[in-house]
Amino acid sequence: METALRTSLPETELASRANFAPHARVVREERPVHTSGPPLSIRGLRKSFGDNEVLRGIDLHIPAGQFVAVVGKSGCGKSTLLRLIAGLERIDAGSISFGGEIQPEDIRVMFQEPRLLPWARVLANVEVGLGRDRASGDAHARAEKALAEVGLADKREQWPSVLSGGQKQRVALARALVSRPRVLAFDEPLGALDALTRISMQRLLERVWRDQGFTAILVTHDVAEAVALADRVLVIEEGRIAHDVVVNAARPRQRGSAELAGLEGSILSHLLSADDRT
Amino acid sequence: MSLIDSISLPRSVRLPRVDGLIQWIVPLAIIAIWQLASVTGFVPTRVLPAPSDVVLAGWKLLLSGELVRNIWVSFWRASIGFLIGGSIGFAFGLANGLSQLSAKLTDTTLQMVRNVPHLALIPLVILWFGIDESAKLFLVALGVFFPIYLNTLHGIRTVDPQLIEMGRIYGMTDGELFRRVIFPGALPSIFVGIRFALGIMWLTLIVAETIAASSGLGYMAMQAREFMLIDVVVLSILIYALLGKLADSASRVLERLTLAWHPAFQKR
Ligand SMILES: Nc1ncnc2c1ncn2[C@@H]1O[C@H](COP(=O)(O)OP(=O)(O)OP(=O)(O)O)[C@@H](O)[C@H]1O
Ligand SMILES: [Mg+2]
């Protein structure tokens, strides 16, 4: 089944991918070729805001370079978990450890809003992502390369206000990628985009993840997106990981295939049954 | 101008020139009707001199050097007072926008002082400074201070917190964060303050020069009134209007140059 899928890759699928990757490879492995991402271990993680106990003991191990999706109903603490991993919030109890030393530049976050500086040109916005390397001599070149990676090299001198929502989000992705992060945390980065733009952005995300091999954590409310992109889908309920679903489908994945649809259905029913109980 | 030239669309090159003409149609028409009304005797010259008389009076004063001297004195007072009051207002706005401690310490006091109309201080200021230069500078600076202080403070407080968080995530130092995120974010609001302050600057100066001065445009108008030189009075008023317009245009140009990123300033 998997080999058949790989050899009979539809022409259209290849052609549309070629837009983003002129050098699209026909044979793709299931895992990133090289992994720069560290493994991630979370033990007994707790977080409350006042009386509101949001996370009540998260235990999780993410192997190096894995693509993990986090789903759950609104307000269950997905963003909180992500912000804790990215070091934007203080931990109440428990621990988060990456295998070995990690620098601030190694972790990048992408939000639902692009958060571009409206008063800086596109290229300057990407350069912001270099962190402390901003002043270095090759800053321009690196930013241009990252911009080319997301297919926006020709927009480098534009103001963000003239870009479309999808283009802004691609600039934000270039900014996140330019420092070659080892962990990328996405908080519903595609939530505000229309269906078609979403799909092309999902392909872009998958491609850069394969090329760069970072460890990816994607928070999304779209279960179809989660099973299309992730190696593994975590369902958060009542402050804990209630389900841990492995997605074994080969990449590139066929949208709407029976296998993915089945997985999507079972995850959705988990979510809905949790909803009924409350 | 160079901004307009650099856009290759023929439509947007032509339009500003037409717009530039359109805005002068109404003032020119008013002057024409005014001249007509004076010449036909419809409006007695005792009430309102003809535009040609005003121009003539202006020409005489120009030749005697009196006009240039008085304009220069008023212009000097306006700009120095603006610079002093504006910089102090800007400094307080920055300090109180960036530091909680500074805001707690001074904001309430400043808000209280703000509620005193600064022109009500004229008698006190005359007692303090006489009709010296410092009296006018003090009043202008005081009038200009508040709009700039309030709008700088407001601009800094309303910078998108998500952008500030973004800056911190990407490792900006406090200085960089100010330079690259907070200050540019506050700039549109600061410009609103500057435009308000320019209006207050002229108003204050006119009042101060009419009441307590021995030179300047307001003084010239008051002198002319005593000698019943109504053409000079009208001339002074027109020059005030022109200077006000000039200051406003200058701030607009500055705004357009520094806020080129803002959707409101992008030409379609
Ligand atoms: N800074 C904060 N202060 C107080 N409460 C907070 C804060 N951040 C989050 N919360 C609370 O924590 C809970 C979880 O919020 P979180 O943003 O993590 O949810 P989420 O799963 O991302 O929801 P959504 O899918 O709607 O984005 C919510 O009840 C929210 O009100
Ligand atoms: Mg959220």
Side-chain angles (χ1 to χ4, degrees), chain B residues 187-228:
Chain B
L187 207 52
S189 177
I190 294 175
F191 268 111
V192 172
I194 290 180
R195 300 264 293 279
F196 259 105
L198 286 175
I200 292 183
M201 171 185 87
W202 288 120
L203 181 78
T204 312
L205 196 64
I206 294 167
V207 175
E209 283 186 345
T210 339
I211 295 174
S214 52
S215 59
L217 279 171
Y219 171 76
M220 189 172 93
M222 281 318 277
Q223 286 293 102
R225 182 192 60 94
E226 278 185 20
F227 297 107
M228 301 292 276

Side-chain angles (χ1 to χ4, degrees), chain A:
Chain A
M1 169 68 198
E2 285 177 15
T3 38
L5 237 177
R6 216 173 281 171
T7 45
S8 67
L9 201 62
E11 295 280 340
T12 49
E13 170 79 301
L14 245 186
S16 60
R17 268 165 185 263
N19 286 336
F20 284 120
H23 47 272
R25 273 156 289 156
V26 180
V27 181
R28 288 161 220 250
E29 298 83 354
E30 191 155 332
R31 271 298 164 78
V33 196
H34 48 89
T35 287
S36 66
L40 177 67
S41 285
I42 299 179
R43 298 252 161 280
L45 182 67
R46 291 171 169 277
K47 177 74 188 175
S48 318
F49 293 103
D51 292 341
N52 183 5
E53 217 182 354
V54 180
L55 298 179
R56 307 173 188 181
I58 300 269
D59 286 289
L60 173 65
H61 178 79
I62 302 179
Q66 196 172 49
F67 198 134
V68 178
V70 181
V71 299
K73 47 177 212 183
S74 180
C76 70
K78 306 184 291 290
S79 300
T80 307
L81 175 63
L82 206 73
R83 294 173 63 84
L84 286 165
I85 293 173
L88 302 179
E89 243 17 287
R90 272 233 320 279
I91 296 173
D92 285 352
S95 69
I96 298 177
S97 62
F98 301 90
E101 271 295 292
I102 196 141
Q103 303 296 318
E105 288 91 352
D106 290 339
I107 308 180
R108 289 298 186 219
V109 193
M110 219 179 127
F111 298 95
Q112 179 165 350
E113 326 77 38
R115 302 195 184 187
L116 303 179
L117 297 174
W119 41 83
R121 309 254 179 198
V122 164
L123 190 70
N125 263 295
V126 175
E127 279 170 26
V128 166
L130 287 167
R132 276 173 281 168
D133 287 349
R134 251 188 308 270
S136 74
D138 60 347
H140 263 351
R142 286 171 69 184
E144 269 172 44
K145 191 158 161 269
L147 212 48
E149 249 163 74
V150 300
L152 286 180
D154 55 327
K155 301 278 188 226
R156 43 172 292 178
E157 287 306 321
Q158 300 280 12
W159 297 113
S161 61
V162 305
L163 301 183
S164 72
Q167 289 172 330
K168 281 183 196 157
Q169 213 44 309
R170 269 148 73 193
V171 176
L173 179 63
R175 179 180 63 191
L177 291 174
V178 71
S179 63
R180 298 276 144 178
R182 297 164 62 208
V183 180
L184 219 59
F186 302 98
D187 195 351
E188 303 191 16
L190 315 182
L193 304 179
D194 65 274
L196 273 176
T197 316
R198 274 178 90 95
I199 292 175
S200 70
M201 277 295 282
Q202 286 168 6
R203 289 180 175 155
L204 177 61
L205 286 187
E206 191 179 18
R207 182 174 63 72
V208 292
W209 169 71
R210 292 168 149 285
D211 289 351
Q212 303 194 9
F214 45 79
T215 304
I217 304 149
L218 168 75
V219 165
T220 175
H221 56 242
D222 180 352
V223 180
E225 178 171 293
V227 294
L229 287 177
D231 297 319
R232 181 178 172 199
V233 181
L234 306 175
V235 181
I236 297 190
E237 260 168 42
E238 283 159 11
R240 292 191 186 81
I241 294 174
H243 303 280
D244 190 338
V245 183
V246 175
V247 186
N248 268 329
R251 294 176 195 269
R253 289 178 182 163
Q254 194 73 16
R255 304 202 139 260
S257 75
E259 190 183 3
L260 292 187
L263 265 176
E264 184 185 341
S266 80
I267 294 172
L268 270 175
S269 67
H270 282 317
L271 286 168
L272 290 174
S273 69
D275 209 31
D276 289 343
R277 263 180 275 130
T278 51

